[in-house]
Amino acid sequence: MTVTALIVAAGKGERLGGVTPKQFRPIGGKPVLRWAAEALARHRRIDAVRVVIGQGQQALAQAALRGLDVGELIEGGTQRSDSVRNGLVAIGGGTVLVHDAARPFCPEQIVDRLLDALDGHDGAVPVLPMSDTIARGGAVLESSVDRSRLLRVQTPQAFDVEDLLYAYDEAGGGAATDESSIMLAAGLKVAGVEGDPLLDKLTTQADWHRAEALLAGRLVPRTGSGFDVHAFSGEGPIMLGGIAVPHSRGLAGHSDADVALHAITDALLGAAGLGDIGEHFPPSDPQWKGASSDLFLAHAARLLRASGGIIDHVDVTVIAEEPKLGPHRSAMRMRIAQILELGTDQVSVKATTTDGLGFTGRREGIAAQAVASVRLARHG
Ligand code: CTP
Ligand code: MG
């Protein structure tokens, strides 16, 4: 039986607020919807992922899902139940896992538990016990409720598509906030499997902040190093640390030969395990001829951040007998911070000579070495 994950992402996210609906907003470097879609798409027992979105959300959804195979986007409706029903009709048959886009972190075992529990039940949903005291009332409490038989119901929720469509026809969708309520109203049997706090829905600002803190706690520190050399050739000025430094001689190179930016770029790529500058910008490619090296550096920073990484600090040492760099250090530091979108206190620029020894000592060229300290997201 084909298993399709149906992600409903057609809401407006009014309780969270903000201009962009929550499912399309980035958290830990990725849109919420993308987290949800990737978690389900990589599960070996899920054959397809489909996504329901609202009117006018096409561009946001496409950007969030770029590169993922989700077939054609399905248009949702006014209420969540309308969105789910549209999705079910588009899928047609088989087993469905209906999931809220607003629950970005779905552990793998949940899907296994749900699919296993479908044997012998009409549906299966993840549940958790209540830990707070539960009471009825408004501004004034009326009575407390025995919580021992109450459950918090999460998504994804597993059903046979035809059973669920039957339940929708019998009971109607209306204001139901999930599928288990509709199945129960239609008299069908739904199993509860153990849920996971990671699946809690992002509804309010407090939920969002909790999720951000959770992701920050999963960041791991990494360090990368970079080294580069360019030979003197022709006339100055030279590009160094993203600024033009006046000098009688220039530097030879395919791009603008900024050794400092090249070393930092390599350090960032190294820290992120993303290869080296030559792989990303091959010197054989004519489009990088004379290229301004701030492009390379900004690209490395973007790649690292795209997967939820954070750049904590970069430190570069320029090794040159000439020109004298002391007067330019502060401008280099500010320019590098600007390219990397960091504070100047997160960037260090140092300069040294090699005491007349070696190729730098013989004034044949300039070298630079850099270290980048970053934190990377452990996904999954
Ligand atoms: N949803 C949907 N279609 C709707 C309403 C909601 O597909 N007409 C989706 C949401 O995008 C979300 C999930 O259902 O992934 C759970 O709904 P909820 O948390 O209520 O999200 P929103 O309706 O977007 O938020 P709010 O109620 O605060 O406006
Ligand atoms: Mg809602």
Side-chain angles (χ1 to χ4, degrees):
M1 184 81 84
T2 306
V3 178
T4 307
L6 178 67
I7 303 180
V8 283
K12 296 196 172 78
E14 278 164 352
R15 281 170 290 177
L16 184 71
V19 179
T20 307
K22 59 189 177 185
Q23 62 272 31
F24 305 118
R25 299 230 308 248
I27 190 159
K30 281 198 271 191
V32 170
L33 168 61
R34 189 177 187 91
W35 281 98
E38 283 181 352
L40 295 174
R42 67 172 163 250
H43 199 285
R44 67 195 187 295
R45 291 169 75 179
I46 294 177
D47 303 301
V49 177
R50 299 294 303 273
V51 179
V52 183
I53 60 162
Q55 262 182 356
Q57 295 182 334
Q58 199 85 15
L60 283 168
Q62 275 165 357
L65 296 165
R66 188 160 296 134
L68 297 180
D69 180 11
V70 295
E72 219 169 295
L73 295 169
I74 303 161
E75 189 168 310
T78 320
Q79 305 204 67
R80 183 185 175 286
S81 62
D82 303 319
S83 299
V84 174
R85 197 201 281 255
N86 290 359
L88 296 174
V89 170
I91 294 171
T95 299
V96 67
L97 288 160
V98 181
H99 188 45
D100 291 332
R103 303 179 193 264
F105 315 120
C106 181
E108 195 184 338
Q109 318 82 279
I110 294 284
V111 172
D112 288 321
R113 280 177 211 151
L114 291 168
L115 294 177
D116 292 346
L118 268 189
D119 264 347
H121 300 92
D122 302 316
V125 302
V127 297
L128 285 175
M130 307 289 303
S131 48
D132 290 318
T133 298
I134 310 296
R136 276 194 200 87
V140 175
L141 301 195
E142 288 161 16
S143 59
S144 60
V145 177
D146 175 11
R147 71 175 181 216
S148 63
R149 295 190 44 77
L150 294 181
L151 297 166
R152 300 206 280 130
V153 184
Q154 303 176 311
T155 79
Q157 303 191 352
F159 311 96
D160 180 273
V161 171
E162 284 169 22
D163 287 352
L164 187 52
L165 276 171
Y166 160 82
Y168 266 94
D169 288 340
E170 281 297 296
T177 51
D178 82 333
E179 284 49 65
S180 72
S181 10
I182 293 161
M183 292 288 282
L184 294 178
L188 295 165
K189 204 167 141 200
V190 178
V193 306
E194 189 189 345
D196 195 308
L198 274 177
L199 272 174
D200 284 349
K201 188 157 66 71
L202 305 185
T203 306
T204 61
Q205 284 284 347
D207 298 330
W208 190 273
H209 294 319
R210 219 178 354 252
E212 277 184 327
L214 179 109
L215 287 169
R218 290 159 70 103
L219 292 172
V220 290
R222 289 278 183 270
T223 306
S225 77
F227 180 72
D228 194 34
V229 172
H230 281 274
F232 283 124
S233 147
E235 287 180 11
I238 57 176
M239 286 305 292
L240 202 56
I243 63 166
V245 174
H247 191 49
S248 55
R249 295 198 280 170
L251 287 174
H254 189 71
S255 65
D256 66 5
D258 189 326
V259 282
L261 295 197
H262 293 179
I264 302 170
T265 303
D266 252 0
L268 286 174
L269 291 172
L274 290 169
D276 63 30
I277 192 169
E279 283 171 43
H280 292 267
F281 305 98
S284 54
D285 188 336
Q287 71 166 308
W288 307 122
K289 189 166 167 45
S292 172
S293 298
D294 52 5
L295 289 179
F296 306 162
L297 185 57
H299 180 75
R302 208 162 33 240
L303 285 180
L304 192 142
R305 289 182 174 131
S307 52
I310 292 173
I311 303 169
D312 283 322
H313 191 259
V314 297
D315 180 24
V316 62
T317 304
V318 180
I319 306 158
E321 213 71 34
E322 62 179 39
K324 284 285 161 256
L325 296 174
H328 306 289
R329 271 177 47 189
S330 155
M332 287 183 202
R333 194 176 177 207
M334 284 196 290
R335 177 65 188 135
I336 293 165
Q338 188 185 33
I339 299 167
L340 290 174
E341 296 176 47
L342 294 175
T344 37
D345 60 331
Q346 293 173 286
V347 175
S348 156
V349 175
K350 312 197 300 297
T352 186
T353 69
T354 48
D355 238 0
L357 299 175
F359 68 87
T360 52
R362 292 189 298 272
R363 299 163 197 259
E364 291 167 5
I366 296 186
Q369 60 189 35
V371 174
S373 309
V374 310
R375 280 171 292 156
L376 297 183
R378 268 183 304 184
H379 287 155

